[in-house]
Amino acid sequence: MHKISQPVIKKDHIEKMSGDAKYIADIKIDDILHAKILRSTKAHARIVEIKIPKLEDGYYIVDYKDIPGENVLKVVTSEQPIFAEEEVNFIGEAILLVAGKDEARVQEIIHSIEVVYEEEKAIYTLEDATEFTSEYGYKKGEAEKAFEHAAKVIEETFDTGYQEQAYIEPQGVIGYLQDNKVTILGSMQCPYYVKAAVVQVMGYEENQVQIIQTTTGGGFGGKEDYPSMLGCQVAIATAKIKKPIRLILNRREDMAVTPKRHPAHLVYRAALDKENNIIGMDVEIKLDGGAYAGLSSVVLQRSLITATGVYLIPNIKIHGKVMTTNTVPNGAFRGFGAPQSLFAIETFMVHLANKIGLTPLEFKEKYLYKQGDITATSGKLQFPVKLPEMLHNIEDMSLYKRKKEQYTNQSGRYRKGIGMAFFLHGCGFTGSAERDLIKSVVKLVKHEDNTLEILSSNTDIGQGLKTTLCKVVAEVLEIPLSQVKFINPDTDRVPNSGPTVASRSLMIVGKLLERAAKRLRDNWILNKYQVIEEHYKQPYMIPWDSNTFSGDAYPTYSWGINVVEVEVDTMLATTNLLGVWGVYDVGTVIDQTIMKGQMEGGMLQGLGYASMEKMENLEGVIRQASITDYTIPTAKDTIPFETACIDNPYEDGPFGAKGAGELTILGTAPAYIEAVEQAVGIGINCIPLTPEKLLKLEKGGFQL
Amino acid sequence: MVGLYPKYLEEAVEMKYAHKEAKLYAGGTDWMVRHAECNQLLFLNQIQELKVINEDTDNIYIGSGCTYFELLNNDLVPEILKEAIRGIAAPAIKNIGTIGGNICNASPAGDTLPILYALGAKVEVISVDKNKIFPIEDFILGVRKLLLNDTEILKRIIIQKHEFSNTYYQKVGARKSQALSKASFVGLANIQEGKLVDLRIAFGSVASTIIRVKQIEEKYIDINIKELPSHIGEIKADYDSYIIPIDDQRSTASYRKAVCMNLLEDFLRKLK
Ligand SMILES: Cc1cc2nc3c(=O)[nH]c(=O)nc-3n(C[C@H](O)[C@H](O)[C@H](O)COP(=O)(O)OP(=O)(O)OC[C@H]3O[C@@H](n4cnc5c(N)ncnc54)[C@H](O)[C@@H]3O)c2cc1C
């Protein structure tokens, strides 16, 4: 074990455990006004008229007419209005904001406003969607030829559902004005994203907008783009009303209107030769983007790049689109497009193996990536790929092979099954985006008392970043961890080190800090204020061409294998977990306890995605918009997981660390489905696999 | 919002009489979720008389204000009721949620209800001038509808002492804790000298109230237990028109119906 891997008490442990941490809703400001949003109740309509009752003093309406800059939300591009003007495109779209002293009164005013709509035809499902906001495709080898020469072509379709981030703290921000400058505090992942959005909407100079992250109760991707929306709404309101304003979503509102994981429809075709080897694969992916593009194009890129999983397939053709529907826009969620593809490719490989008459593992092993292999996007796996060692470990832990043989031909009420999934996750932004778009900068400050402070815009959203970044610095300088501090970023104090997304923060920003710490070590002047600044430098990569999707899609990859063992109660079509195992390669583990948190949390979140986390949209309305109805697994639904990390240091990560946050969610869903399939003996091509769906697949009942 | 905090039942009914619009608040675990605002709350949780569990030769009496943990820790409470309680919510709710609240919330997904229906429980309702006792199925009229006027309070639940040779309970929820029932089933039976002498079956979450059909139960009384398997198809058919679940955000009608029938069959097959 590396010394740095030894667990420590998290930097924010005491503050959080004692209840001292101030989340956005805990912040009290005198004379603050409460704001609520009037939202569209129609999926697609023109706004004919808005009837607003006469308001008493101290209550205000804010709408698009109050926007000094541009009425669009800046995400990747800008398309969604902050407040609707003439038309609405999904149920929940913001129309206007009401603010005032008394929260209940504000709510009453919202209810008393009448919007007259002229409804237009709305599209609710991927099936019906025809318009799209992005489309990409790429090829390797000669897929067409492979299909022409194939002895057999096997095609399957897969469907995956929404997934809601279900962070504990709902989204919210506070805004106030000070000398011609707007300050936004809030629960968020990416302060500089919020800043860019507010600057655009307000038409302000950069120095007129300040964003401060407050202690954030979970994000999972859900607080990547939406805080920009709230930040803009409050900035507009506070600039108009000239009073501090607080806009905090309640749980139902948060679940109904904030972005979720994209539902997907995936079509996989494999060309097999006479010996049943895969000679080609053709994949077509459609994501339901909802009403506005938002982050969807980037999500689709990752779905496509990950479409063939960890397998070396000689000839491939991959293509996909983000379809537009009149539903809540989807966005970022841990895994970012990869969970959909990995569910599909892993399940497809199992089904192919079954058809050919090999065990899933025998079949998959023939195609596993090795160091030096050419990736799907014609990049090269430069670094050691330790899948064989990981497979050996997980086999020892789970006894997968023996159980796979044992659980055949079962009958009776309870039936067992086991599944294994392989996966990888590209660390950081796609292609050269780190170099060309993000351009991370960090500062390491040494105060006169020789304590250090990290200045970075990355956020601790519960994943432990405060601790791991401080550990990197303390370890380089060989000083106690308590001597390094990292407080919630404030854009007036910290440089833009990029967003907290894409499993990049520790690997990319941590590396910059490692370099800064080394420079400081070499130039350490006792009792003197020193500032070291570091800028991102791209490590060697085969250049990425974003038109052809060719080259190294990511600087490196993290890897994982999961095994899930279940018992299905065929009378109720419910499942019990019997065993869950995970072996991961995240380079060097920077803190074992934090990594364990990532592994166990990610694996359980993946199991929820596969089994019980059902979210439906019924004519544009999210039906499960509460924690009662949208069921995520509880402590009672889980069992102790067994996890391990292998050591595989990566030269361009701090102390060898690679990305770890998203990787952990990717494998349990396909492993779970393989396990259930084995138990019940039927093919399953969709998640979440609720008991309702399983019973339906079995045409109403199992033969007990 | 004004709060009323009686310490004695007598005081509580007087207050209720004087403040008819006041809403009753026991553990508040349903109340807090549903009513965000109201002008007056009458808090029942300090009244010791509502927490009493006692017995006489024929009956067990359970105070409406008993929390789930209080019920689980009491030896008089029938085991089958405890089994259902173990499946309710999670520890935090079990610490403050009450059986009276579960009954008065009058939801077909209330998990103590199928058990109370099957046990033939009665409720005792109290007001300034009257005590009334009636069967639970007459008290609960529909979803959130009770035979209870604005001067009355549910005092206690009365359960006749009864031994069953066979008991069977299953809750079907979306997860193993903190889940409202998609469907639930209870079957109680008494078999003496090879004959079925008592049969009680109730279903939760499959109609607007709990389903217990006494005519069907009576039809099979006195039947020889060895003949029962040949009647299973018929019994399922008997219940068919009563099990009329809906599709909603939690489950589907066809799933609910299928598991109810599976559970009914499983219960019947296990009777020996
Ligand atoms: C997270 C969560 C999980 C839950 N899980 C379950 C579950 O698994 N199964 C289940 O069945 N329920 C569940 N519930 C619902 C709830 O906890 C139970 O119904 C509980 O028994 C309600 O009791 P209470 O004392 O909290 O009722 P309260 O909320 O205080 O009252 C409920 C209703 O009954 C009325 N009332 C209360 N006492 C009396 C009385 N003595 N006389 C007349 N009227 C009265 C109140 O006015 C109110 O209308 C859950 C609730 C939550 C919040």
Side-chain angles (χ1 to χ4, degrees), chain A residues 571-572 576 624 632 637 692, chain B residues 175-176 249 251 255 262:
Chain A
M571 200 169 91
L572 305 175
N576 280 322
Q624 292 80 12
I632 59 174
D637 298 291
E692 284 78 2
Chain B
R175 59 185 168 199
K176 297 205 179 82
Q249 73 276 25
S251 188
Y255 176 78
N262 286 350

Side-chain angles (χ1 to χ4, degrees), chain A residues 39-94:
Chain A
R39 299 182 180 282
S40 166
T41 55
K42 301 289 176 222
H44 189 200
R46 299 190 59 73
I47 299 175
V48 178
E49 195 191 346
I50 301 177
K51 297 179 184 167
I52 299 172
K54 200 170 154 26
L55 299 186
E56 57 269 42
D57 276 357
Y59 288 84
Y60 308 85
I61 303 280
V62 178
D63 68 10
Y64 72 90
K65 296 191 274 312
D66 299 305
I67 298 176
E70 290 174 62
N71 182 20
V72 275
L73 180 68
K74 187 177 165 81
V75 189
V76 178
T77 46
S78 303
E79 51 282 317
Q80 181 173 4
I82 307 297
F83 294 115
E85 297 189 13
E86 278 155 15
E87 69 163 15
V88 285
N89 288 300
F90 71 96
I91 292 173
E93 181 160 4

Side-chain angles (χ1 to χ4, degrees), chain B residues 13-246:
Chain B
V13 289
E14 276 164 16
M15 282 178 175
K16 189 72 184 98
Y17 188 80
H19 305 273
K20 297 194 177 58
E21 70 290 3
K23 302 283 183 213
L24 298 174
Y25 186 109
T29 60
D30 273 317
W31 207 93
M32 295 274 284
V33 177
R34 276 200 300 126
H35 317 250
E37 52 206 69
C38 95
N39 294 330
Q40 245 175 13
L41 275 183
L42 197 161
F43 290 90
L44 297 171
N45 44 13
Q46 298 186 34
I47 303 170
Q48 283 311 313
E49 291 147 279
L50 294 182
K51 293 199 168 286
V52 174
I53 303 173
N54 55 14
E55 61 177 334
D56 58 22
T57 35
D58 298 330
N59 297 306
I60 300 156
Y61 300 87
I62 297 175
S64 67
C66 292
T67 66
Y68 291 123
F69 272 135
E70 285 163 351
L71 295 168
L72 287 176
N73 291 328
N74 189 290
D75 292 339
L76 295 177
V77 175
E79 183 50 36
I80 189 76
L81 181 56
K82 288 185 178 173
E83 202 177 323
I85 290 171
R86 283 185 204 107
I88 290 179
I93 298 286
K94 287 199 182 88
N95 269 322
I96 49 164
T98 65
I99 188 166
N102 201 238
I103 296 170
C104 295
N105 191 47
S107 154
D111 282 327
T112 65
L113 299 181
I115 310 288
L116 296 174
Y117 273 61
L119 290 171
K122 294 191 172 74
V123 294
E124 183 175 343
V125 164
I126 183 171
S127 63
V128 270
D129 50 0
K130 284 204 272 303
N131 267 32
K132 293 194 279 193
I133 295 178
F134 37 87
I136 189 160
E137 60 267 31
D138 295 344
F139 181 60
I140 298 177
L141 304 175
V143 180
R144 304 205 200 293
K145 284 203 202 83
L146 295 176
L147 188 64
L148 183 81
N149 70 34
D150 56 14
T151 65
E152 294 172 328
I153 294 174
L154 172 64
K155 181 183 170 191
R156 58 184 181 174
I157 298 103
I158 306 168
I159 300 171
Q160 210 184 26
K161 287 185 184 170
H162 211 89
E163 289 293 319
F164 295 96
S165 55
N166 296 67
T167 63
Y168 184 108
Y169 175 74
Q170 179 76 52
K171 167 176 176 165
V172 185
R175 59 185 168 199
K176 297 205 179 82
S177 67
Q178 299 287 45
L180 296 179
S181 290
K182 293 174 179 176
S184 65
F185 173 86
V186 56
L188 306 174
N190 223 339
I191 297 162
Q192 279 171 14
E193 293 163 12
K195 270 189 176 171
L196 188 60
V197 296
D198 196 354
L199 176 68
R200 296 136 180 245
I201 289 169
F203 300 87
S205 288
V206 290
S208 62
T209 55
I210 303 302
I211 297 299
R212 180 176 171 200
V213 193
K214 289 188 183 156
Q215 331 55 301
I216 302 178
E217 295 169 4
E218 278 156 16
K219 205 173 136 187
Y220 299 95
I221 294 299
D222 281 343
I223 200 170
N224 188 314
I225 203 67
K226 292 212 183 72
E227 284 166 33
L228 191 65
S230 64
H231 289 286
I232 287 177
E234 184 191 340
I235 300 175
K236 284 167 77 175
D238 287 342
Y239 278 102
D240 188 70
S241 63
Y242 294 93
I243 312 295
I244 40 166
I246 54 163

